[in-house]
Amino acid sequence: MAYSYDDQNIFAKILRGEIPNNTVFENDYALAFRDLYPQAPDHVLVIPKGPYVCYDHFANAASDAEIVGFTRAIGEVCKILGVADDAGEGYRTIANSGEHGVQEVEHLHVHILAGRPLGRMLAKA
């Protein structure tokens, strides 16, 4: 499947510094920032700095360094939020993809949600 990346999406603009954000963590491969419309007390988005549409695009096309750097960024954000160790009460990561996954911005982003009981991920069928 060919992926068409739109470099005018909001996350691309954030990466270029055209739109401000509330940065939580940044490394060479990823940027993590607080969601403007949080769905939990802690709601952070982690995005790769490369032009990847969704997780499978990233997993199949990113370099090993990008994959490691992005994954480590998620781990660092969990440490910063205090949910990564045994004392934490847990968290959820979500990466939506496509229409059925209700992806709103076609730039890979992982939501890290924490700070309250989150309930079931999906309603029982």
Side-chain angles (χ1 to χ4, degrees), residues 1-37:
M1 174 180 180
Y3 294 94
S4 177
Y5 181 80
D6 175 11
D7 68 0
Q8 295 304 306
N9 74 68
I10 191 168
F11 295 156
K13 291 178 180 182
I14 288 171
L15 287 169
R16 290 193 300 267
E18 297 170 12
I19 297 174
N21 72 89
N22 184 351
T23 299
V24 173
F25 178 81
E26 183 173 9
N27 65 18
D28 290 342
Y29 304 101
L31 175 66
F33 52 92
R34 296 210 175 262
D35 194 294
L36 284 177
Y37 305 101

Side-chain angles (χ1 to χ4, degrees), residues 14-15 21-27 29-35 43-49 70 72-78 80-81 109-110 112:
I14 288 171
L15 287 169
N21 72 89
N22 184 351
T23 299
V24 173
F25 178 81
E26 183 173 9
N27 65 18
Y29 304 101
L31 175 66
F33 52 92
R34 296 210 175 262
D35 194 294
H43 187 168
V44 175
L45 301 175
V46 184
I47 63 174
K49 291 186 174 178
F70 181 71
R72 293 269 165 82
I74 292 169
E76 287 299 318
V77 170
C78 290
I80 291 165
L81 297 178
H109 54 289
V110 171
I112 300 173

